[in-house]
Amino acid sequence: MGVLVFTDTFCDANGVSRFLQDICSEAICANKRLIIFTSTSKTRCKTFSNLNNFKPLFCFKIPFYNELDIVVPPFLKMLRLARDLDIQTVHISTPGPVGLLGIYFAKKYNLNLVGTYHTNFPAYIFENTKSKTCQKIAVWLMKFVYSKFDKILTRSSSYKEILQNDLKINREKIKTLKPGIKIENYSPQFRNIEIWEKYQISKESQKILYVGRLSKEKNFDFLLNVWDEFYQKYISTNLIDAEFIIVGEGSLDKRAQKLKDKNVHLFGFK
C-alpha cells in the first residue's frame, strides 16, 4: 500500500514545488512508499526514484500568472500506470489537469482522496486582474475541486479560515499540515563573503536580500518603491553604503532592471 501524489507543479520555482521535492526526498530516506505523478517539460529539479514525470502533450502559460503552465498530460498513459500500482490513498497537490486526473482516478477506484490547499488562487487572480468576476469564477472552481476530498490539508490557520468561509468546506475535513525546516541546511558555517567578488559587489557594504518570485502577489512592486525612496534619502547622500540583492524572476523583472543604477543587483534564478 502507498500514497500516490498528483501534481501540476514539481519543477517550478515556487514553494509548492519545493515542498513536493522535499517530501519526495524524505519519503525515500524514511523508506515510505510515496509516488509522485506529474507532467512537465521544466528541468529545474532533481530526479527522484519515486518521481514519474510524463511528457506533456502540450502546454501554455496561465493568463495573468505566466510563471505557471497549464499542461495537458498523457491522461491514458498515466491512468494505466496508476491502475497497476498498489495504492490506498491519492493525494492531490494542485487543482490543474493532472490534479483533476487524480480525482477521477481516486473516485473510479474508490480510494481515499486527500488534498493540500497550497495556494489561494482566487486572491492571486484578483490581485493580478482586479476583476471580481474572475475571482468569483476561481472561487467556484476551487469549491468544485476541494469539495470532493475526504480530507484537506492546509499550511496555515489563515488558509483554514479561507477553506471554511470562502469555499464552504466542512471544518471536520480540514487538517493543519505544520511546516517544518531542515535546520542542518542553515548555518553560519556556509558563510562566504568571497562570493561578492564574483558579482563585483563590495564586501563591506550592507546587503538587503530578497528571495522569491518578482510578482504582484508577492508585493514586490511595493518593495522596489521602498528601495527607491531609501536610495534617494540615504545612499545617494552617502549616509549609508548598501546594496539590494534580488534572487528570483518574474513579471516585474523589467521594473527592477531600471533600478540597476541604484545599487540593485538581479541574480535571477538560483
Side-chain angles (χ1 to χ4, degrees), residues 7 18 20 23 26 29 32 37 61 79 141 155 222 225 235-237 248:
T7 179
R18 180 74 267 165
L20 290 168
I23 66 167
E26 291 298 314
C29 293
K32 300 293 184 181
F37 271 24
K61 300 290 183 186
L79 283 173
L141 287 172
R155 308 302 306 282
F222 170 76
N225 290 334
I235 300 176
S236 65
T237 56

Side-chain angles (χ1 to χ4, degrees), residues 9-214:
T9 177
F10 190 86
C11 293
D12 298 273
N14 60 41
V16 178
S17 293
R18 180 74 267 165
F19 171 77
L20 290 168
Q21 291 168 36
D22 286 344
I23 66 167
C24 229
S25 177
E26 291 298 314
I28 293 171
C29 293
N31 197 29
K32 300 293 184 181
R33 192 159 183 267
L34 180 139
I35 302 166
I36 304 275
F37 271 24
T38 192
S39 182
T40 180
S41 56
K42 295 181 178 180
T43 57
R44 287 178 172 174
C45 60
K46 298 178 182 177
T47 56
F48 298 90
S49 59
N50 52 355
L51 170 65
N52 292 270
N53 183 13
F54 298 82
K55 184 178 179 180
L57 299 178
F58 62 88
C59 64
F60 55 92
K61 300 290 183 186
I62 296 181
F64 315 114
Y65 200 164
N66 288 332
E67 289 82 15
L68 288 181
D69 294 339
I70 289 286
V71 170
V72 177
F75 294 108
L76 294 178
K77 186 177 180 180
M78 295 175 78
L79 283 173
R80 281 196 297 266
L81 182 55
R83 190 180 56 205
D84 294 338
L85 298 172
D86 184 16
I87 292 299
Q88 183 181 33
T89 299
V90 170
H91 186 117
I92 309 301
S93 179
T94 49
V98 176
L100 294 175
L101 177 66
I103 294 173
Y104 169 80
F105 174 72
K107 293 297 183 182
K108 180 177 176 62
Y109 293 100
N110 197 29
L111 303 172
N112 297 325
L113 182 58
V114 180
T116 301
Y117 193 73
H118 285 287
T119 305
N120 185 10
F121 275 113
Y124 272 30
I125 287 172
F126 179 75
E127 184 64 34
N128 283 279
T129 67
K130 302 304 180 186
S131 168
K132 286 285 186 181
T133 301
C134 290
Q135 185 182 31
K136 288 178 181 177
I137 292 171
V139 168
W140 182 85
L141 287 172
M142 293 301 101
K143 282 182 181 179
F144 174 77
V145 173
Y146 286 93
S147 63
K148 301 182 183 305
F149 295 171
D150 300 315
K151 294 290 180 183
I152 302 175
L153 305 176
T154 182
R155 308 302 306 282
S156 67
S157 56
S158 61
Y159 271 27
K160 194 172 183 179
E161 295 297 319
I162 289 169
L163 285 165
Q164 290 177 198
N165 300 330
D166 297 352
L167 304 189
K168 309 303 179 186
I169 302 296
N170 186 334
R171 66 167 57 240
E172 299 302 318
K173 286 187 174 184
I174 307 170
K175 303 295 179 184
T176 302
L177 181 62
K178 293 183 179 180
I181 297 173
K182 205 166 186 176
I183 57 175
E184 58 265 32
N185 288 348
Y186 300 89
S187 169
Q189 70 179 357
F190 297 128
R191 187 168 189 259
N192 176 18
I193 63 171
E194 304 303 320
I195 192 175
W196 301 119
E197 289 184 2
K198 174 182 175 182
Y199 297 101
Q200 298 180 324
I201 295 173
S202 169
K203 295 179 186 178
E204 286 73 31
S205 65
Q206 295 184 50
K207 313 294 189 301
I208 291 85
L209 174 66
Y210 172 85
V211 181
R213 284 200 312 280
L214 318 187

